[in-house]
Short mmCIF file of all heavy atoms in Angstrom, two decimals:
data_model
loop_
_atom_site.label_atom_id
_atom_site.label_comp_id
_atom_site.label_asym_id
_atom_site.label_seq_id
_atom_site.Cartn_x
_atom_site.Cartn_y
_atom_site.Cartn_z
N MET K 1 73.69 60.72 153.37
CA MET K 1 73.81 60.69 154.84
C MET K 1 74.07 62.13 155.36
O MET K 1 75.10 62.68 154.93
CB MET K 1 74.80 59.76 155.38
CG MET K 1 75.02 59.71 156.88
SD MET K 1 76.16 58.39 157.35
CE MET K 1 77.67 59.29 157.04
N SER K 2 73.20 62.67 156.16
CA SER K 2 73.38 64.02 156.68
C SER K 2 73.91 64.01 158.11
O SER K 2 73.58 63.10 158.89
CB SER K 2 72.18 64.79 156.54
OG SER K 2 71.31 64.28 157.58
N VAL K 3 74.77 64.94 158.37
CA VAL K 3 75.30 65.17 159.72
C VAL K 3 74.87 66.27 160.39
O VAL K 3 74.94 67.31 159.72
CB VAL K 3 76.86 64.95 159.62
CG1 VAL K 3 77.57 65.32 161.00
CG2 VAL K 3 77.44 63.73 158.98
N THR K 4 74.52 66.23 161.57
CA THR K 4 74.12 67.44 162.35
C THR K 4 74.98 67.80 163.41
O THR K 4 75.35 66.89 164.22
CB THR K 4 72.59 67.26 162.88
OG1 THR K 4 71.73 66.80 161.88
CG2 THR K 4 72.15 68.46 163.49
N GLY K 5 75.46 69.06 163.52
CA GLY K 5 76.40 69.55 164.53
C GLY K 5 77.53 70.19 163.98
O GLY K 5 77.61 70.39 162.81
N LEU K 6 78.49 70.50 164.86
CA LEU K 6 79.59 71.43 164.43
C LEU K 6 80.66 70.50 164.27
O LEU K 6 80.82 69.35 164.86
CB LEU K 6 79.99 72.37 165.59
CG LEU K 6 79.04 73.65 165.74
CD1 LEU K 6 79.43 74.37 166.95
CD2 LEU K 6 78.89 74.47 164.44
N CYS K 7 81.68 70.91 163.37
CA CYS K 7 82.89 70.13 163.17
C CYS K 7 83.56 70.03 164.54
O CYS K 7 83.73 71.07 165.24
CB CYS K 7 83.72 70.96 162.20
SG CYS K 7 85.41 70.43 162.14
N GLN K 8 83.97 68.81 164.78
CA GLN K 8 84.73 68.66 166.20
C GLN K 8 86.21 68.99 166.02
O GLN K 8 86.89 68.90 167.06
CB GLN K 8 84.50 67.14 166.59
CG GLN K 8 83.01 66.88 166.99
CD GLN K 8 82.75 65.50 167.35
OE1 GLN K 8 83.37 64.56 166.75
NE2 GLN K 8 82.03 65.23 168.40
N ILE K 9 86.59 69.41 164.90
CA ILE K 9 88.06 69.75 164.92
C ILE K 9 88.26 71.35 165.04
O ILE K 9 88.99 71.70 165.90
CB ILE K 9 88.59 69.40 163.51
CG1 ILE K 9 88.54 67.80 163.45
CG2 ILE K 9 90.05 69.78 163.32
CD1 ILE K 9 89.00 67.22 162.11
N CYS K 10 87.39 71.97 164.21
CA CYS K 10 87.49 73.48 164.47
C CYS K 10 86.40 74.08 165.34
O CYS K 10 86.45 75.21 165.84
CB CYS K 10 87.56 74.17 163.08
SG CYS K 10 86.01 73.91 162.11
N GLU K 11 85.28 73.24 165.37
CA GLU K 11 84.16 73.82 166.15
C GLU K 11 83.60 75.09 165.83
O GLU K 11 83.23 75.87 166.65
CB GLU K 11 84.61 73.78 167.86
CG GLU K 11 84.82 72.37 168.33
CD GLU K 11 85.13 72.32 169.75
OE1 GLU K 11 85.57 73.34 170.27
OE2 GLU K 11 84.99 71.21 170.42
N GLN K 12 83.71 75.38 164.58
CA GLN K 12 83.26 76.61 163.99
C GLN K 12 82.27 76.41 162.96
O GLN K 12 81.17 77.05 162.80
CB GLN K 12 84.40 77.49 163.57
CG GLN K 12 85.16 78.03 164.78
CD GLN K 12 86.29 78.99 164.28
OE1 GLN K 12 86.35 79.39 163.16
NE2 GLN K 12 87.25 79.20 165.22
N ASN K 13 82.59 75.49 162.11
CA ASN K 13 81.81 75.30 160.85
C ASN K 13 80.98 74.04 161.07
O ASN K 13 81.17 73.21 161.94
CB ASN K 13 82.70 74.87 159.72
CG ASN K 13 83.68 76.10 159.30
OD1 ASN K 13 83.32 77.23 159.49
ND2 ASN K 13 84.89 75.75 158.97
N GLU K 14 79.80 74.09 160.32
CA GLU K 14 78.85 72.98 160.40
C GLU K 14 79.45 71.78 159.78
O GLU K 14 80.02 71.74 158.76
CB GLU K 14 77.63 73.29 159.61
CG GLU K 14 76.43 72.37 159.99
CD GLU K 14 75.12 72.99 159.33
OE1 GLU K 14 75.01 74.15 159.15
OE2 GLU K 14 74.23 72.06 158.97
N ALA K 15 79.40 70.65 160.51
CA ALA K 15 80.00 69.43 160.09
C ALA K 15 79.19 68.87 158.91
O ALA K 15 77.94 68.89 158.85
CB ALA K 15 80.06 68.34 161.17
N GLU K 16 79.94 68.28 157.87
CA GLU K 16 79.25 67.81 156.76
C GLU K 16 79.64 66.30 156.58
O GLU K 16 78.87 65.61 155.79
CB GLU K 16 79.75 68.44 155.46
CG GLU K 16 79.66 69.93 155.69
CD GLU K 16 79.14 70.65 154.36
OE1 GLU K 16 79.08 69.99 153.34
OE2 GLU K 16 78.86 71.82 154.39
N HIS K 17 80.65 65.82 157.38
CA HIS K 17 80.95 64.38 157.12
C HIS K 17 81.14 63.77 158.59
O HIS K 17 81.44 64.48 159.55
CB HIS K 17 82.17 64.34 156.36
CG HIS K 17 82.15 64.97 155.10
ND1 HIS K 17 81.64 64.24 153.99
CD2 HIS K 17 82.49 66.19 154.69
CE1 HIS K 17 81.65 65.06 153.00
NE2 HIS K 17 82.16 66.19 153.31
N SER K 18 80.98 62.59 158.70
CA SER K 18 81.32 61.76 159.95
C SER K 18 82.42 60.84 159.63
O SER K 18 82.20 59.99 158.82
CB SER K 18 80.07 61.11 160.43
OG SER K 18 80.49 60.33 161.52
N CYS K 19 83.51 60.91 160.29
CA CYS K 19 84.73 60.02 160.02
C CYS K 19 84.39 58.50 160.34
O CYS K 19 83.97 58.30 161.49
CB CYS K 19 85.94 60.51 160.70
SG CYS K 19 87.36 59.52 160.45
N PRO K 20 84.56 57.70 159.38
CA PRO K 20 84.27 56.27 159.66
C PRO K 20 85.31 55.66 160.49
O PRO K 20 85.06 54.44 161.19
CB PRO K 20 84.21 55.63 158.28
CG PRO K 20 85.13 56.53 157.53
CD PRO K 20 84.91 57.87 158.01
N ASN K 21 86.42 56.30 160.77
CA ASN K 21 87.59 55.69 161.47
C ASN K 21 87.44 56.09 162.95
O ASN K 21 87.54 55.19 163.82
CB ASN K 21 88.88 56.21 160.89
CG ASN K 21 89.95 55.51 161.56
OD1 ASN K 21 90.02 54.24 161.60
ND2 ASN K 21 90.98 56.18 161.98
N CYS K 22 87.15 57.30 163.26
CA CYS K 22 87.20 57.85 164.58
C CYS K 22 85.91 58.38 165.04
O CYS K 22 85.65 58.68 166.18
CB CYS K 22 88.34 58.84 164.83
SG CYS K 22 88.07 60.48 164.00
N GLY K 23 84.91 58.65 164.13
CA GLY K 23 83.64 59.08 164.41
C GLY K 23 83.58 60.63 164.46
O GLY K 23 82.42 61.14 165.01
N THR K 24 84.68 61.36 164.32
CA THR K 24 84.78 62.69 164.45
C THR K 24 83.79 63.34 163.34
O THR K 24 83.85 62.95 162.28
CB THR K 24 86.16 63.18 164.34
OG1 THR K 24 86.96 62.82 165.38
CG2 THR K 24 86.21 64.78 164.23
N LEU K 25 83.08 64.47 163.81
CA LEU K 25 82.44 65.17 162.86
C LEU K 25 83.34 66.18 162.22
O LEU K 25 83.99 66.89 162.91
CB LEU K 25 81.14 65.84 163.45
CG LEU K 25 80.13 64.91 164.09
CD1 LEU K 25 79.08 65.64 164.70
CD2 LEU K 25 79.54 63.90 163.16
N ALA K 26 83.30 66.19 160.89
CA ALA K 26 84.23 67.16 160.24
C ALA K 26 83.52 68.03 159.15
O ALA K 26 82.58 67.58 158.49
CB ALA K 26 85.31 66.40 159.54
N CYS K 27 83.93 69.30 159.18
CA CYS K 27 83.46 70.27 158.11
C CYS K 27 84.21 70.01 156.83
O CYS K 27 85.03 69.11 156.82
CB CYS K 27 83.49 71.66 158.58
SG CYS K 27 85.28 72.23 158.66
N GLU K 28 83.81 70.68 155.76
CA GLU K 28 84.34 70.54 154.44
C GLU K 28 85.86 70.90 154.63
O GLU K 28 86.73 70.13 153.91
CB GLU K 28 83.75 71.51 153.57
CG GLU K 28 83.79 71.07 152.06
CD GLU K 28 83.09 69.71 151.93
OE1 GLU K 28 82.00 69.56 152.27
OE2 GLU K 28 83.70 68.84 151.41
N ASP K 29 86.31 71.82 155.43
CA ASP K 29 87.63 72.11 155.48
C ASP K 29 88.48 71.08 156.22
O ASP K 29 89.77 71.00 156.00
CB ASP K 29 87.79 73.49 156.34
CG ASP K 29 87.46 74.62 155.59
OD1 ASP K 29 87.23 74.38 154.37
OD2 ASP K 29 87.31 75.82 156.13
N HIS K 30 87.79 70.29 157.07
CA HIS K 30 88.63 69.29 157.80
C HIS K 30 88.13 67.82 157.40
O HIS K 30 88.26 66.95 158.19
CB HIS K 30 88.31 69.51 159.35
CG HIS K 30 88.95 70.72 159.78
ND1 HIS K 30 88.23 71.87 160.16
CD2 HIS K 30 90.23 71.16 159.91
CE1 HIS K 30 89.01 72.88 160.45
NE2 HIS K 30 90.28 72.47 160.43
N TRP K 31 87.87 67.77 156.13
CA TRP K 31 87.51 66.41 155.70
C TRP K 31 88.49 66.15 154.37
O TRP K 31 88.58 67.01 153.42
CB TRP K 31 86.04 66.45 155.12
CG TRP K 31 85.62 65.17 154.57
CD1 TRP K 31 85.38 64.85 153.32
CD2 TRP K 31 85.33 63.98 155.35
NE1 TRP K 31 84.98 63.56 153.15
CE2 TRP K 31 84.88 63.02 154.43
CE3 TRP K 31 85.42 63.59 156.66
CZ2 TRP K 31 84.60 61.75 154.84
CZ3 TRP K 31 85.13 62.38 157.06
CH2 TRP K 31 84.73 61.40 156.16
N ASP K 32 89.01 64.93 154.39
CA ASP K 32 89.90 64.61 153.24
C ASP K 32 88.95 63.66 152.28
O ASP K 32 88.69 62.59 152.57
CB ASP K 32 91.02 63.75 153.63
CG ASP K 32 92.04 63.53 152.65
OD1 ASP K 32 91.64 63.19 151.49
OD2 ASP K 32 93.22 63.76 152.88
N GLU K 33 88.58 64.30 151.28
CA GLU K 33 87.65 63.71 150.36
C GLU K 33 88.26 62.52 149.69
O GLU K 33 87.64 61.41 149.50
CB GLU K 33 87.22 64.72 149.21
CG GLU K 33 86.15 64.31 148.35
CD GLU K 33 84.77 64.41 149.17
OE1 GLU K 33 84.50 65.54 149.70
OE2 GLU K 33 84.07 63.48 149.20
N ALA K 34 89.56 62.57 149.39
CA ALA K 34 90.19 61.46 148.64
C ALA K 34 90.33 60.23 149.56
O ALA K 34 90.07 59.05 149.06
CB ALA K 34 91.66 61.89 148.32
N ARG K 35 90.49 60.41 150.80
CA ARG K 35 90.57 59.24 151.69
C ARG K 35 89.30 58.93 152.41
O ARG K 35 89.09 57.80 152.97
CB ARG K 35 91.72 59.53 152.83
CG ARG K 35 93.08 59.70 152.30
CD ARG K 35 94.08 59.88 153.33
NE ARG K 35 95.44 59.95 152.82
CZ ARG K 35 95.99 61.08 152.37
NH1 ARG K 35 95.30 62.17 152.35
NH2 ARG K 35 97.19 61.08 151.92
N GLY K 36 88.47 59.86 152.40
CA GLY K 36 87.08 59.54 153.11
C GLY K 36 87.31 59.56 154.51
O GLY K 36 86.69 58.86 155.31
N LEU K 37 88.28 60.38 155.10
CA LEU K 37 88.51 60.48 156.52
C LEU K 37 88.52 61.95 157.01
O LEU K 37 88.73 62.83 156.14
CB LEU K 37 90.02 59.84 156.80
CG LEU K 37 90.09 58.31 156.49
CD1 LEU K 37 91.47 57.97 156.41
CD2 LEU K 37 89.28 57.56 157.43
N CYS K 38 88.49 62.10 158.34
CA CYS K 38 88.68 63.42 158.81
C CYS K 38 90.15 63.85 158.72
O CYS K 38 91.01 63.04 158.42
CB CYS K 38 88.24 63.51 160.33
SG CYS K 38 89.29 62.64 161.47
N ALA K 39 90.34 65.10 158.87
CA ALA K 39 91.65 65.66 158.65
C ALA K 39 92.73 64.94 159.53
O ALA K 39 93.91 64.74 159.29
CB ALA K 39 91.75 67.19 158.87
N GLN K 40 92.37 64.71 160.88
CA GLN K 40 93.05 64.07 161.86
C GLN K 40 93.56 62.69 161.34
O GLN K 40 94.73 62.32 161.49
CB GLN K 40 92.39 63.96 163.19
CG GLN K 40 92.17 65.31 163.71
CD GLN K 40 91.24 65.20 164.97
OE1 GLN K 40 90.45 64.29 165.21
NE2 GLN K 40 91.57 66.16 165.96
N CYS K 41 92.54 61.80 160.92
CA CYS K 41 92.95 60.53 160.34
C CYS K 41 93.73 60.60 159.23
O CYS K 41 94.62 59.82 159.02
CB CYS K 41 91.64 59.69 160.33
SG CYS K 41 90.87 59.33 161.70
N ALA K 42 93.37 61.55 158.29
CA ALA K 42 94.19 61.61 157.11
C ALA K 42 95.65 61.95 157.28
O ALA K 42 96.58 61.46 156.65
CB ALA K 42 93.47 62.72 156.21
N ALA K 43 95.90 62.80 158.39
CA ALA K 43 97.19 63.10 158.70
C ALA K 43 97.87 61.85 159.32
O ALA K 43 99.19 61.68 158.97
CB ALA K 43 97.24 64.27 159.72
N THR K 44 97.24 61.08 159.93
CA THR K 44 97.84 59.86 160.55
C THR K 44 98.23 58.83 159.43
O THR K 44 99.20 58.32 159.47
CB THR K 44 96.70 59.09 161.49
OG1 THR K 44 96.38 60.02 162.54
CG2 THR K 44 97.37 57.89 162.07
N VAL K 45 97.29 58.75 158.48
CA VAL K 45 97.63 57.99 157.26
C VAL K 45 98.80 58.40 156.59
O VAL K 45 99.66 57.63 156.13
CB VAL K 45 96.37 57.81 156.32
CG1 VAL K 45 96.71 57.21 155.01
CG2 VAL K 45 95.20 57.16 156.94
N GLU K 46 98.96 59.64 156.53
CA GLU K 46 100.11 60.37 155.72
C GLU K 46 101.34 60.00 156.46
O GLU K 46 102.46 59.83 155.84
CB GLU K 46 99.87 61.78 155.56
CG GLU K 46 99.63 62.31 154.10
CD GLU K 46 99.17 63.61 153.99
OE1 GLU K 46 99.52 64.40 154.75
OE2 GLU K 46 98.28 63.85 153.12
N ARG K 47 101.40 59.83 157.75
CA ARG K 47 102.60 59.49 158.42
C ARG K 47 102.90 58.14 158.46
O ARG K 47 104.01 57.79 158.89
CB ARG K 47 102.45 60.04 159.89
CG ARG K 47 102.50 61.47 160.15
CD ARG K 47 102.73 61.84 161.58
NE ARG K 47 101.82 61.25 162.50
CZ ARG K 47 100.70 61.75 162.93
NH1 ARG K 47 100.37 63.03 162.48
NH2 ARG K 47 99.87 61.16 163.76
N GLY K 48 102.19 57.35 157.83
CA GLY K 48 102.33 55.94 157.73
C GLY K 48 101.45 55.07 158.54
O GLY K 48 101.66 53.81 158.73
N GLY K 49 100.43 55.74 159.07
CA GLY K 49 99.52 54.88 159.84
C GLY K 49 99.80 54.63 161.27
O GLY K 49 101.03 54.91 161.65
N PRO K 50 99.00 53.96 162.06
CA PRO K 50 99.25 53.73 163.41
C PRO K 50 100.28 52.51 163.66
O PRO K 50 100.76 52.51 164.78
CB PRO K 50 97.80 53.26 163.93
CG PRO K 50 97.15 52.70 162.77
CD PRO K 50 97.73 53.44 161.60
N ASP K 51 100.70 51.88 162.67
CA ASP K 51 101.67 50.86 162.95
C ASP K 51 102.98 51.60 162.87
O ASP K 51 103.67 51.89 161.91
CB ASP K 51 101.72 49.85 161.76
CG ASP K 51 100.27 49.09 161.80
OD1 ASP K 51 99.84 48.83 162.81
OD2 ASP K 51 99.76 48.77 160.70
N GLU K 52 103.56 51.71 164.16
CA GLU K 52 104.93 52.22 164.23
C GLU K 52 105.98 51.33 163.68
O GLU K 52 105.99 50.15 163.87
CB GLU K 52 105.18 52.61 165.76
CG GLU K 52 104.27 53.78 166.15
CD GLU K 52 104.67 54.22 167.49
OE1 GLU K 52 105.74 53.95 167.88
OE2 GLU K 52 103.82 54.61 168.34
N GLY K 53 106.92 52.01 163.04
CA GLY K 53 108.00 51.11 162.48
C GLY K 53 107.82 50.44 161.12
O GLY K 53 108.70 49.99 160.56
N ALA K 54 106.51 50.58 160.66
CA ALA K 54 106.23 49.97 159.44
C ALA K 54 106.83 50.88 158.29
O ALA K 54 106.46 52.04 158.21
CB ALA K 54 104.76 49.92 159.18
N VAL K 55 107.71 50.35 157.45
CA VAL K 55 108.37 51.20 156.52
C VAL K 55 108.03 50.52 155.18
O VAL K 55 108.37 49.34 154.92
CB VAL K 55 109.88 51.17 156.68
CG1 VAL K 55 110.55 51.95 155.50
CG2 VAL K 55 110.24 51.81 158.02
N SER K 56 107.39 51.31 154.30
CA SER K 56 107.03 50.76 152.94
C SER K 56 108.31 50.69 152.08
O SER K 56 109.26 51.49 152.16
CB SER K 56 106.10 51.63 152.32
OG SER K 56 106.54 52.35 151.28
N PRO K 57 108.57 49.64 151.28
CA PRO K 57 109.70 49.47 150.51
C PRO K 57 109.99 50.90 149.66
O PRO K 57 111.16 51.05 149.37
CB PRO K 57 109.33 48.37 149.50
CG PRO K 57 108.24 47.56 150.15
CD PRO K 57 107.52 48.71 151.10
N ASP K 58 109.03 51.48 149.38
CA ASP K 58 109.12 52.76 148.52
C ASP K 58 110.12 53.81 149.30
O ASP K 58 110.67 54.63 148.80
CB ASP K 58 107.87 53.33 148.13
CG ASP K 58 107.15 52.56 147.11
OD1 ASP K 58 107.89 51.62 146.62
OD2 ASP K 58 105.92 52.68 146.95
N ASP K 59 110.04 53.60 150.63
CA ASP K 59 110.79 54.67 151.37
C ASP K 59 112.28 54.32 151.48
O ASP K 59 113.11 55.17 151.85
CB ASP K 59 110.31 54.62 152.94
CG ASP K 59 108.82 55.23 152.92
OD1 ASP K 59 108.53 55.97 151.98
OD2 ASP K 59 108.06 55.08 153.89
N LEU K 60 112.75 53.09 151.03
CA LEU K 60 114.15 52.76 151.07
C LEU K 60 114.77 53.25 149.74
O LEU K 60 114.23 52.88 148.71
CB LEU K 60 114.25 51.21 151.21
CG LEU K 60 113.69 50.66 152.59
CD1 LEU K 60 113.82 49.26 152.42
CD2 LEU K 60 114.54 51.17 153.73
N ASP K 61 115.86 53.93 149.84
CA ASP K 61 116.54 54.23 148.67
C ASP K 61 117.67 53.23 148.34
O ASP K 61 117.90 52.43 149.31
CB ASP K 61 117.12 55.63 148.50
CG ASP K 61 117.40 56.27 149.87
OD1 ASP K 61 116.42 56.44 150.53
OD2 ASP K 61 118.46 56.58 150.14
N ASP K 62 118.20 53.30 147.27
CA ASP K 62 119.29 52.35 147.03
C ASP K 62 120.37 52.30 147.93
O ASP K 62 120.98 51.29 148.18
CB ASP K 62 119.83 52.63 145.49
CG ASP K 62 118.61 52.46 144.39
OD1 ASP K 62 117.77 51.64 144.80
OD2 ASP K 62 118.86 52.94 143.36
N ASP K 63 120.77 53.43 148.50
CA ASP K 63 121.89 53.54 149.48
C ASP K 63 121.56 52.59 150.62
O ASP K 63 122.49 51.90 151.07
CB ASP K 63 122.01 55.01 149.96
CG ASP K 63 122.55 55.89 148.87
OD1 ASP K 63 123.06 55.28 147.91
OD2 ASP K 63 122.59 57.09 149.11
N GLU K 64 120.24 52.54 151.07
CA GLU K 64 119.86 51.67 152.09
C GLU K 64 120.15 50.30 151.82
O GLU K 64 120.58 49.47 152.82
CB GLU K 64 118.41 52.05 152.39
CG GLU K 64 117.91 52.12 153.85
CD GLU K 64 118.60 52.86 154.76
OE1 GLU K 64 119.05 53.96 154.55
OE2 GLU K 64 118.84 52.37 155.85
N VAL K 65 119.80 49.89 150.67
CA VAL K 65 119.97 48.42 150.28
C VAL K 65 121.36 48.15 150.10
O VAL K 65 121.77 46.95 150.43
CB VAL K 65 119.15 48.27 148.85
CG1 VAL K 65 119.28 46.81 148.53
CG2 VAL K 65 117.71 48.57 149.17
N MET K 66 122.25 48.94 149.48
CA MET K 66 123.56 48.61 149.22
C MET K 66 124.53 48.88 150.31
O MET K 66 125.79 48.70 150.21
CB MET K 66 123.99 49.52 148.01
CG MET K 66 123.23 49.44 146.76
SD MET K 66 123.42 47.75 146.01
CE MET K 66 124.98 47.92 145.15
N ARG K 67 123.92 49.15 151.58
CA ARG K 67 124.81 49.68 152.69
C ARG K 67 125.80 48.61 153.03
O ARG K 67 126.89 48.85 153.36
CB ARG K 67 123.87 49.94 153.77
CG ARG K 67 124.64 50.52 154.90
CD ARG K 67 123.71 51.15 155.96
NE ARG K 67 122.61 50.24 156.16
CZ ARG K 67 121.66 50.53 156.94
NH1 ARG K 67 121.45 51.70 157.58
NH2 ARG K 67 120.66 49.64 157.25
N PHE K 68 125.57 47.43 153.01
CA PHE K 68 126.52 46.37 153.40
C PHE K 68 126.54 45.17 152.26
O PHE K 68 127.58 44.56 152.06
CB PHE K 68 126.15 45.68 154.77
CG PHE K 68 124.72 45.22 154.75
CD1 PHE K 68 124.39 43.78 154.62
CD2 PHE K 68 123.57 46.09 154.87
CE1 PHE K 68 123.18 43.39 154.65
CE2 PHE K 68 122.37 45.58 154.99
CZ PHE K 68 122.20 44.17 154.87
ZN1 ZN R 1 86.44 72.21 160.77
ZN1 ZN R 2 88.87 60.45 161.87
#
């Protein structure tokens, strides 16, 4: 699948990917190959996703569990 146009994040490089999540065209620099998302969506995923307040069990340390 080829993408035509400029990266919508930096608007300087030629876009090579189209984000399946938000539709943003992203150049190689602004594409997260591992996640298959644009840099913007990859950053959102890294923060824990759009679900606010969702805490994965891995984020709790033992102090949190033993608190009371
Ligand atoms: Zn870019
Ligand atoms: Zn995206």
Side-chain angles (χ1 to χ4, degrees):
M1 184 174 73
S2 70
V3 175
T4 305
L6 289 177
C7 168
Q8 293 181 315
I9 297 175
C10 65
E11 296 183 336
Q12 288 180 15
N13 301 322
E14 192 171 333
E16 310 220 349
H17 305 273
S18 175
C19 178
N21 189 49
C22 66
T24 293
L25 300 180
C27 67
E28 206 61 53
D29 285 349
H30 294 107
W31 181 252
D32 192 313
E33 193 74 49
R35 295 181 177 86
L37 297 169
C38 69
Q40 291 175 328
C41 290
T44 302
V45 169
E46 248 166 38
R47 286 198 305 269
D51 296 323
E52 290 185 31
V55 179
S56 109
D58 290 342
D59 290 340
L60 297 173
D61 27 296
D62 292 339
D63 289 347
E64 216 46 46
V65 177
M66 301 293 282
R67 189 167 46 184
F68 54 100

